[in-house]
Coordinates of all heavy atoms in Angstrom, one line a residue:
M13 N 111.8 89.6 94.0 CA 111.7 88.8 92.8 C 112.8 89.4 91.8 O 112.8 90.6 91.6 CB 110.3 88.9 92.2 CG 110.2 88.3 90.8 SD 108.6 88.5 90.0 CE 107.5 87.9 91.3
N14 N 113.5 88.5 91.2 CA 114.5 89.0 90.2 C 113.9 89.1 88.8 O 112.8 88.5 88.6 CB 115.8 88.2 90.2 CG 115.6 86.8 89.7 OD1 114.9 86.6 88.8 ND2 116.4 85.9 90.2
I15 N 114.5 89.9 88.0 CA 113.9 90.2 86.7 C 113.8 88.9 85.8 O 112.9 88.8 85.0 CB 114.7 91.3 86.0 CG1 113.9 91.9 84.8 CG2 116.1 90.9 85.6 CD1 112.6 92.5 85.2
Q16 N 114.8 88.0 86.0 CA 114.7 86.7 85.1 C 113.5 85.9 85.5 O 112.8 85.5 84.5 CB 116.0 85.9 85.4 CG 117.2 86.4 84.8 CD 117.9 87.5 85.7 OE1 117.6 87.6 86.9 NE2 118.8 88.2 85.1
L17 N 113.1 85.8 86.7 CA 111.9 85.1 87.1 C 110.7 85.9 86.6 O 109.7 85.3 86.1 CB 111.9 85.0 88.6 CG 110.6 84.3 89.2 CD1 110.4 82.9 88.6 CD2 110.7 84.3 90.7
A18 N 110.7 87.2 86.8 CA 109.6 88.0 86.3 C 109.4 87.8 84.8 O 108.2 87.7 84.4 CB 109.8 89.5 86.7
N19 N 110.5 87.9 84.1 CA 110.4 87.7 82.6 C 109.8 86.3 82.2 O 109.0 86.2 81.3 CB 111.7 87.9 81.9 CG 112.1 89.4 81.9 OD1 111.3 90.3 82.0 ND2 113.4 89.6 81.8
T20 N 110.2 85.3 83.0 CA 109.7 84.0 82.7 C 108.2 83.9 83.0 O 107.5 83.4 82.1 CB 110.5 82.9 83.6 OG1 111.9 83.0 83.3 CG2 109.9 81.5 83.3
L21 N 107.8 84.4 84.1 CA 106.4 84.4 84.4 C 105.6 85.2 83.4 O 104.5 84.9 83.1 CB 106.2 85.0 85.8 CG 106.7 84.1 87.0 CD1 106.6 84.8 88.3 CD2 106.1 82.8 87.0
F22 N 106.1 86.3 83.0 CA 105.5 87.2 82.0 C 105.4 86.4 80.6 O 104.3 86.4 80.0 CB 106.3 88.5 81.8 CG 105.6 89.4 80.8 CD1 104.6 90.2 81.2 CD2 106.0 89.5 79.5 CE1 104.0 91.1 80.4 CE2 105.4 90.4 78.6 CZ 104.4 91.2 79.1
D23 N 106.5 85.8 80.2 CA 106.5 85.1 78.9 C 105.6 83.9 78.9 O 105.0 83.6 77.9 CB 107.9 84.6 78.6 CG 108.9 85.8 78.3 OD1 108.4 86.9 78.0 OD2 110.1 85.6 78.3
E24 N 105.4 83.3 80.1 CA 104.6 82.1 80.1 C 103.1 82.4 80.4 O 102.2 81.6 80.5 CB 105.1 81.1 81.2 CG 106.4 80.5 80.9 CD 107.0 79.6 82.0 OE1 106.4 79.6 83.1 OE2 108.0 79.0 81.8
G25 N 102.8 83.7 80.5 CA 101.4 84.1 80.7 C 100.9 84.1 82.1 O 99.7 84.3 82.4
V26 N 101.8 83.8 83.1 CA 101.4 83.6 84.5 C 100.9 84.9 85.0 O 99.8 85.0 85.7 CB 102.5 83.0 85.3 CG1 102.1 83.0 86.8 CG2 102.9 81.6 84.8
F27 N 101.7 86.0 84.8 CA 101.3 87.3 85.3 C 99.9 87.7 84.7 O 99.1 88.3 85.4 CB 102.3 88.4 84.9 CG 103.5 88.5 85.9 CD1 104.7 89.0 85.5 CD2 103.4 88.0 87.2 CE1 105.7 89.1 86.3 CE2 104.4 88.1 88.1 CZ 105.6 88.6 87.6
S28 N 99.7 87.5 83.4 CA 98.5 87.9 82.8 C 97.3 87.1 83.4 O 96.2 87.7 83.7 CB 98.5 87.6 81.3 OG 99.4 88.5 80.6
A29 N 97.5 85.8 83.6 CA 96.4 85.0 84.2 C 96.1 85.5 85.6 O 94.9 85.6 86.0 CB 96.8 83.6 84.2
M30 N 97.2 85.8 86.4 CA 97.0 86.3 87.8 C 96.3 87.7 87.8 O 95.5 88.0 88.6 CB 98.3 86.4 88.5 CG 98.9 85.0 88.8 SD 100.5 85.1 89.6 CE 100.1 85.7 91.2
F31 N 96.6 88.5 86.8 CA 96.0 89.8 86.7 C 94.5 89.7 86.4 O 93.6 90.3 87.0 CB 96.7 90.7 85.6 CG 96.0 92.0 85.4 CD1 96.1 93.0 86.3 CD2 95.3 92.2 84.2 CE1 95.5 94.2 86.0 CE2 94.7 93.4 83.9 CZ 94.8 94.4 84.9
K32 N 94.2 88.8 85.4 CA 92.8 88.6 85.0 C 92.0 88.0 86.2 O 90.8 88.3 86.3 CB 92.7 87.7 83.8 CG 93.2 88.4 82.5 CD 93.2 87.4 81.4 CE 93.8 88.1 80.1 NZ 94.0 87.1 79.0
A33 N 92.6 87.2 87.0 CA 91.9 86.6 88.1 C 91.9 87.6 89.3 O 91.2 87.3 90.3 CB 92.6 85.3 88.6
G34 N 92.5 88.7 89.2 CA 92.5 89.7 90.3 C 93.5 89.5 91.4 O 93.4 90.2 92.5
F35 N 94.5 88.7 91.2 CA 95.5 88.4 92.2 C 96.6 89.5 92.3 O 97.2 89.6 93.3 CB 96.1 87.0 92.1 CG 95.2 85.9 92.4 CD1 94.8 85.0 91.4 CD2 94.7 85.7 93.7 CE1 93.9 84.0 91.7 CE2 93.8 84.7 94.0 CZ 93.4 83.8 92.9
I36 N 96.9 90.1 91.1 CA 97.9 91.2 91.1 C 97.3 92.4 90.4 O 96.3 92.3 89.7 CB 99.2 90.7 90.4 CG1 98.9 90.3 89.0 CG2 99.9 89.6 91.2 CD1 100.2 90.0 88.2
T37 N 97.9 93.5 90.6 CA 97.5 94.7 89.9 C 98.4 95.1 88.7 O 99.4 94.4 88.5 CB 97.5 95.9 90.9 OG1 98.9 96.2 91.3 CG2 96.7 95.6 92.2
V38 N 98.0 96.1 88.0 CA 98.7 96.5 86.9 C 100.1 97.0 87.3 O 101.0 97.2 86.4 CB 97.9 97.6 86.1 CG1 97.8 98.9 86.8 CG2 98.4 97.8 84.7
K39 N 100.3 97.3 88.5 CA 101.6 97.8 89.0 C 102.7 96.9 88.7 O 103.8 97.4 88.3 CB 101.5 98.0 90.5 CG 102.7 98.7 91.1 CD 102.8 98.7 92.6 CE 101.6 98.9 93.4 NZ 101.8 99.0 94.8
V40 N 102.5 95.6 88.7 CA 103.6 94.6 88.4 C 104.0 94.9 86.9 O 105.2 94.9 86.7 CB 103.1 93.2 88.5 CG1 104.1 92.2 88.0 CG2 102.7 92.9 90.0
F41 N 103.1 95.1 86.0 CA 103.5 95.3 84.6 C 104.2 96.6 84.4 O 105.2 96.7 83.7 CB 102.2 95.3 83.7 CG 101.5 93.9 83.8 CD1 100.4 93.8 84.6 CD2 102.0 92.9 83.0 CE1 99.8 92.5 84.6 CE2 101.3 91.6 83.1 CZ 100.2 91.5 83.8
T42 N 103.7 97.6 85.1 CA 104.3 99.0 85.1 C 105.8 98.9 85.6 O 106.7 99.5 85.0 CB 103.5 100.0 85.8 OG1 102.2 100.0 85.3 CG2 104.1 101.4 85.7
Y43 N 105.9 98.3 86.8 CA 107.2 98.3 87.4 C 108.2 97.5 86.5 O 109.4 97.9 86.4 CB 107.2 97.6 88.8 CG 106.7 98.5 89.9 CD1 106.1 99.7 89.7 CD2 107.0 98.1 91.2 CE1 105.7 100.5 90.8 CE2 106.6 98.9 92.3 CZ 106.0 100.1 92.1 OH 105.6 100.9 93.1
R44 N 107.8 96.4 85.9 CA 108.6 95.7 85.0 C 109.0 96.5 83.8 O 110.2 96.5 83.4 CB 107.9 94.4 84.6 CG 108.8 93.5 83.6 CD 108.0 92.3 83.2 NE 108.7 91.5 82.2 CZ 108.5 91.7 80.9 NH1 107.6 92.6 80.5 NH2 109.2 91.0 80.0
E45 N 108.1 97.2 83.3 CA 108.4 98.1 82.1 C 109.4 99.2 82.5 O 110.4 99.5 81.8 CB 107.1 98.7 81.6 CG 107.3 99.6 80.4 CD 106.0 100.2 79.8 OE1 104.9 99.9 80.4 OE2 106.1 100.9 78.9
I46 N 109.2 99.8 83.7 CA 110.2 100.8 84.1 C 111.6 100.2 84.3 O 112.6 100.8 83.9 CB 109.7 101.4 85.5 CG1 108.4 102.3 85.2 CG2 110.8 102.2 86.1 CD1 107.7 102.7 86.5
Y47 N 111.6 99.0 85.0 CA 112.9 98.4 85.2 C 113.6 98.1 83.9 O 114.8 98.4 83.8 CB 112.7 97.1 86.0 CG 114.0 96.4 86.3 CD1 114.8 96.7 87.4 CD2 114.5 95.4 85.4 CE1 116.0 96.0 87.7 CE2 115.7 94.8 85.6 CZ 116.4 95.1 86.8 OH 117.6 94.4 87.0
L48 N 112.9 97.5 83.0 CA 113.6 97.2 81.7 C 114.0 98.4 80.9 O 115.1 98.4 80.3 CB 112.6 96.3 80.9 CG 112.3 94.9 81.4 CD1 111.2 94.2 80.6 CD2 113.6 94.1 81.5
W49 N 113.2 99.5 81.0 CA 113.5 100.7 80.3 C 114.8 101.3 80.9 O 115.7 101.7 80.2 CB 112.4 101.7 80.3 CG 112.6 102.9 79.5 CD1 112.3 103.0 78.2 CD2 113.2 104.1 79.9 NE1 112.7 104.3 77.7 CE2 113.2 105.0 78.8 CE3 113.6 104.6 81.1 CZ2 113.7 106.3 78.8 CZ3 114.1 105.9 81.2 CH2 114.2 106.7 80.0
V50 N 114.9 101.4 82.2 CA 116.0 102.0 82.9 C 117.3 101.2 82.6 O 118.3 101.8 82.2 CB 115.8 102.1 84.4 CG1 117.1 102.4 85.1 CG2 114.8 103.2 84.7
Q51 N 117.2 99.9 82.6 CA 118.3 99.0 82.3 C 118.8 99.2 80.9 O 120.0 99.3 80.6 CB 118.0 97.6 82.6 CG 117.8 97.2 84.1 CD 118.9 97.6 85.0 OE1 120.1 97.3 84.7 NE2 118.6 98.2 86.1
A52 N 117.8 99.3 80.0 CA 118.2 99.5 78.6 C 118.9 100.9 78.3 O 119.8 100.9 77.6 CB 116.9 99.4 77.7
Q53 N 118.4 101.9 79.0 CA 119.0 103.2 78.9 C 120.4 103.2 79.4 O 121.3 103.8 78.8 CB 118.2 104.3 79.6 CG 116.8 104.5 79.1 CD 116.8 104.8 77.6 OE1 117.5 105.7 77.1 NE2 116.1 104.0 76.8
M54 N 120.7 102.6 80.5 CA 122.0 102.5 81.1 C 122.9 101.7 80.1 O 124.1 102.1 79.9 CB 122.0 101.8 82.4 CG 121.3 102.7 83.5 SD 120.9 101.8 85.1 CE 122.4 100.8 85.3
K55 N 122.4 100.6 79.5 CA 123.3 99.8 78.7 C 123.5 100.5 77.3 O 124.7 100.5 76.9 CB 122.6 98.4 78.5 CG 123.4 97.5 77.7 CD 122.7 96.1 77.6 CE 123.6 95.2 76.8 NZ 123.0 93.9 76.7
T56 N 122.5 100.9 76.7 CA 122.7 101.4 75.3 C 123.3 102.8 75.3 O 124.0 103.1 74.4 CB 121.3 101.5 74.5 OG1 120.4 102.3 75.2 CG2 120.8 100.1 74.4
R57 N 122.9 103.7 76.2 CA 123.4 105.1 76.2 C 124.6 105.3 77.2 O 125.2 106.4 77.1 CB 122.2 106.0 76.6 CG 121.1 106.0 75.5 CD 119.9 106.8 75.9 NE 120.3 108.2 76.2 CZ 119.6 108.9 77.1 NH1 118.5 108.4 77.6 NH2 120.0 110.1 77.4
G58 N 124.8 104.3 78.0 CA 125.9 104.5 79.0 C 125.7 105.5 80.0 O 126.7 106.1 80.5
I59 N 124.5 105.8 80.4 CA 124.2 106.8 81.4 C 124.1 106.1 82.8 O 124.0 104.9 82.9 CB 122.9 107.6 81.1 CG1 121.7 106.6 81.1 CG2 123.0 108.4 79.8 CD1 120.3 107.4 80.9
S60 N 124.2 107.0 83.8 CA 124.2 106.4 85.2 C 122.8 106.0 85.5 O 121.8 106.5 84.9 CB 124.7 107.5 86.1 OG 123.8 108.6 86.2
K61 N 122.7 105.2 86.5 CA 121.3 104.8 87.0 C 120.5 106.0 87.5 O 119.4 106.1 87.2 CB 121.5 103.8 88.1 CG 120.1 103.2 88.6 CD 120.3 102.3 89.7 CE 120.4 100.9 89.2 NZ 120.3 99.8 90.3
R62 N 121.2 106.9 88.1 CA 120.6 108.1 88.6 C 120.0 109.0 87.5 O 118.8 109.4 87.5 CB 121.6 109.0 89.4 CG 121.1 110.3 89.8 CD 120.2 110.2 91.1 NE 119.8 111.5 91.5 CZ 118.6 111.9 91.7 NH1 117.6 111.0 91.5 NH2 118.3 113.1 92.0
Q63 N 120.8 109.1 86.4 CA 120.3 109.9 85.2 C 119.1 109.1 84.6 O 118.1 109.8 84.2 CB 121.4 110.1 84.2 CG 121.0 110.9 83.0 CD 120.5 112.3 83.3 OE1 121.1 113.0 84.2 NE2 119.5 112.8 82.7
A64 N 119.2 107.8 84.5 CA 118.1 107.0 83.9 C 116.8 107.2 84.7 O 115.7 107.2 84.2 CB 118.5 105.6 83.8
V65 N 117.0 107.2 86.1 CA 115.8 107.4 87.0 C 115.2 108.7 86.7 O 113.9 108.8 86.6 CB 116.2 107.2 88.4 CG1 115.1 107.7 89.4 CG2 116.6 105.8 88.7
L66 N 116.0 109.8 86.6 CA 115.4 111.1 86.4 C 114.7 111.2 85.0 O 113.6 111.8 84.9 CB 116.5 112.2 86.4 CG 117.2 112.4 87.7 CD1 118.4 113.3 87.6 CD2 116.3 112.8 88.8
E67 N 115.2 110.5 84.0 CA 114.5 110.5 82.7 C 113.3 109.6 82.8 O 112.3 109.9 82.1 CB 115.5 110.0 81.6 CG 116.6 111.0 81.4 CD 117.6 110.5 80.3 OE1 117.3 109.6 79.5 OE2 118.7 111.1 80.2
A68 N 113.3 108.5 83.5 CA 112.1 107.7 83.7 C 111.0 108.4 84.4 O 109.8 108.1 84.0 CB 112.5 106.4 84.5
E69 N 111.3 109.3 85.3 CA 110.2 110.1 85.9 C 109.4 110.8 84.9 O 108.2 110.8 84.9 CB 110.8 111.2 86.8 CG 111.4 110.7 88.1 CD 111.8 111.9 88.9 OE1 111.0 112.6 89.5 OE2 113.1 112.1 89.0
I70 N 110.1 111.4 83.9 CA 109.4 112.1 82.8 C 108.6 111.2 81.9 O 107.5 111.3 81.6 CB 110.4 113.0 82.1 CG1 111.0 114.0 83.0 CG2 109.7 113.7 80.9 CD1 112.2 114.7 82.5
K71 N 109.4 110.1 81.5 CA 108.8 109.2 80.5 C 107.5 108.5 81.0 O 106.5 108.4 80.3 CB 109.8 108.2 80.1 CG 109.2 107.1 79.2 CD 110.2 106.2 78.5 CE 109.7 105.1 77.7 NZ 108.7 105.6 76.6
F72 N 107.6 108.1 82.3 CA 106.5 107.3 82.8 C 105.5 108.1 83.6 O 104.5 107.6 84.1 CB 107.0 106.1 83.6 CG 107.7 105.1 82.8 CD1 109.1 105.1 82.7 CD2 107.0 104.1 82.1 CE1 109.7 104.1 82.0 CE2 107.6 103.2 81.4 CZ 109.0 103.2 81.3
G73 N 105.8 109.4 83.9 CA 104.9 110.3 84.6 C 104.8 109.8 86.1 O 103.7 110.0 86.7
K74 N 105.9 109.3 86.6 CA 105.9 108.8 88.0 C 106.9 109.6 88.8 O 107.8 110.2 88.2 CB 106.3 107.3 88.1 CG 105.4 106.4 87.3 CD 104.0 106.2 87.8 CE 103.2 105.2 87.0 NZ 101.8 105.2 87.4
D75 N 106.8 109.6 90.1 CA 107.7 110.4 90.9 C 109.0 109.5 91.1 O 109.0 108.3 90.9 CB 107.2 110.9 92.2 CG 106.8 109.8 93.2 OD1 107.3 108.7 93.1 OD2 105.9 110.1 94.1
E76 N 110.0 110.1 91.6 CA 111.3 109.4 91.7 C 111.3 108.2 92.7 O 111.8 107.2 92.4 CB 112.4 110.4 92.2 CG 113.8 109.8 92.3 CD 114.8 110.8 92.8 OE1 114.5 112.0 92.9 OE2 115.9 110.4 93.1
R77 N 110.5 108.4 93.7 CA 110.4 107.3 94.7 C 109.8 106.0 94.0 O 110.2 104.9 94.3 CB 109.5 107.7 95.9 CG 110.2 108.7 96.8 CD 109.3 109.2 97.9 NE 108.1 109.7 97.2 CZ 107.0 110.1 97.8 NH1 106.9 110.0 99.1 NH2 106.0 110.6 97.1
T78 N 108.8 106.3 93.2 CA 108.1 105.2 92.5 C 109.1 104.5 91.5 O 109.1 103.2 91.4 CB 106.9 105.6 91.7 OG1 106.0 106.2 92.7 CG2 106.2 104.5 91.0
I79 N 109.9 105.2 90.8 CA 110.9 104.7 89.9 C 111.9 103.8 90.7 O 112.2 102.7 90.3 CB 111.7 105.8 89.1 CG1 110.7 106.6 88.4 CG2 112.7 105.1 88.2 CD1 109.8 105.9 87.3
W80 N 112.4 104.3 91.8 CA 113.4 103.6 92.6 C 112.7 102.3 93.2 O 113.3 101.2 93.3 CB 113.9 104.4 93.8 CG 115.0 105.4 93.3 CD1 114.9 106.7 93.3 CD2 116.3 105.0 92.8 NE1 116.1 107.2 92.8 CE2 117.0 106.2 92.5 CE3 117.0 103.8 92.6 CZ2 118.2 106.3 92.0 CZ3 118.3 103.8 92.1 CH2 118.9 105.0 91.8
R81 N 111.4 102.4 93.6 CA 110.7 101.3 94.1 C 110.6 100.2 93.1 O 110.7 99.0 93.3 CB 109.3 101.7 94.6 CG 108.6 100.8 95.5 CD 107.3 101.4 96.0 NE 107.5 102.6 96.8 CZ 107.0 103.8 96.5 NH1 106.2 103.9 95.4 NH2 107.2 104.8 97.3
A82 N 110.3 100.6 91.8 CA 110.2 99.7 90.7 C 111.6 99.0 90.5 O 111.6 97.8 90.3 CB 109.8 100.4 89.4
L83 N 112.6 99.7 90.5 CA 114.0 99.2 90.3 C 114.3 98.2 91.4 O 114.8 97.1 91.2 CB 115.0 100.2 90.2 CG 114.9 101.2 89.0 CD1 116.0 102.3 89.1 CD2 115.0 100.5 87.7
N84 N 114.0 98.6 92.7 CA 114.4 97.7 93.8 C 113.5 96.5 93.9 O 114.0 95.5 94.4 CB 114.2 98.5 95.1 CG 115.3 99.6 95.3 OD1 116.4 99.5 94.7 ND2 114.9 100.6 96.0
S85 N 112.3 96.5 93.3 CA 111.5 95.3 93.4 C 112.0 94.2 92.5 O 111.6 93.0 92.7 CB 110.0 95.7 93.0 OG 109.9 96.1 91.7
F86 N 112.8 94.5 91.5 CA 113.4 93.5 90.6 C 114.9 93.3 90.8 O 115.5 92.5 90.0 CB 113.0 93.8 89.1 CG 111.6 93.7 88.8 CD1 110.8 94.8 88.5 CD2 111.0 92.4 88.8 CE1 109.5 94.6 88.2 CE2 109.7 92.3 88.5 CZ 108.9 93.4 88.2
E87 N 115.5 93.9 91.7 CA 116.9 93.7 92.0 C 117.1 92.3 92.6 O 116.3 91.8 93.3 CB 117.5 94.7 93.0 CG 117.5 96.1 92.4 CD 118.5 96.3 91.3 OE1 119.6 95.7 91.3 OE2 118.2 97.1 90.4
D88 N 118.3 91.7 92.3 CA 118.6 90.4 92.8 C 118.9 90.6 94.3 O 119.7 91.3 94.7 CB 119.9 89.8 92.2 CG 119.6 88.7 91.3 OD1 118.5 88.1 91.4 OD2 120.4 88.3 90.4
N89 N 118.2 89.8 95.1 CA 118.3 89.9 96.6 C 118.9 88.6 97.1 O 118.4 88.1 98.2 CB 117.0 90.3 97.2 CG 116.5 91.6 96.8 OD1 117.3 92.5 96.7 ND2 115.2 91.8 96.7
N90 N 119.8 88.1 96.5 CA 120.4 86.8 96.9 C 121.2 87.0 98.1 O 121.9 87.8 98.4 CB 121.2 86.1 95.8 CG 120.4 85.7 94.7 OD1 119.2 85.5 94.8 ND2 120.9 85.6 93.5

């Protein structure tokens, strides 16, 4: 799923409705937050993706594999 689609579903409340109905877990929200944070750090601070991942580990209290998994889940796979 790409981030534009995820943002649309989030903005329209689809993710929230699916979460409340038990179809998805909180992981979708966490992964989206991680993805957006890493992208923002790269854009605003001009740091590498690798550096942003290392900082995200600390910020979100997740291991590096989880951060990369979050990033890969929203990359464009066209």
Side-chain angles (χ1 to χ4, degrees):
M13 172 183 307
N14 69 36
I15 194 63
Q16 289 83 15
L17 176 58
N19 286 339
T20 300
L21 294 173
F22 183 81
D23 292 342
E24 292 177 356
V26 174
F27 278 157
S28 294
M30 291 177 72
F31 176 72
K32 289 176 186 171
F35 290 114
I36 60 174
T37 65
V38 72
K39 186 187 324 183
V40 174
F41 299 100
T42 304
Y43 277 20
R44 179 178 173 267
E45 184 179 355
I46 290 169
Y47 179 89
L48 294 173
W49 187 87
V50 167
Q51 295 301 316
Q53 296 306 305
M54 290 169 41
K55 183 177 180 180
T56 59
R57 295 176 51 209
I59 61 175
S60 68
K61 184 182 270 191
R62 174 80 177 124
Q63 182 62 39
V65 166
L66 293 175
E67 293 180 15
E69 283 184 78
I70 296 165
K71 175 167 177 56
F72 293 98
K74 305 288 184 189
D75 66 23
E76 183 178 350
R77 291 174 305 174
T78 301
I79 304 299
W80 283 111
R81 198 173 300 119
L83 297 178
N84 290 334
S85 68
F86 288 112
E87 294 290 326
D88 252 342
N89 294 324
N90 292 336

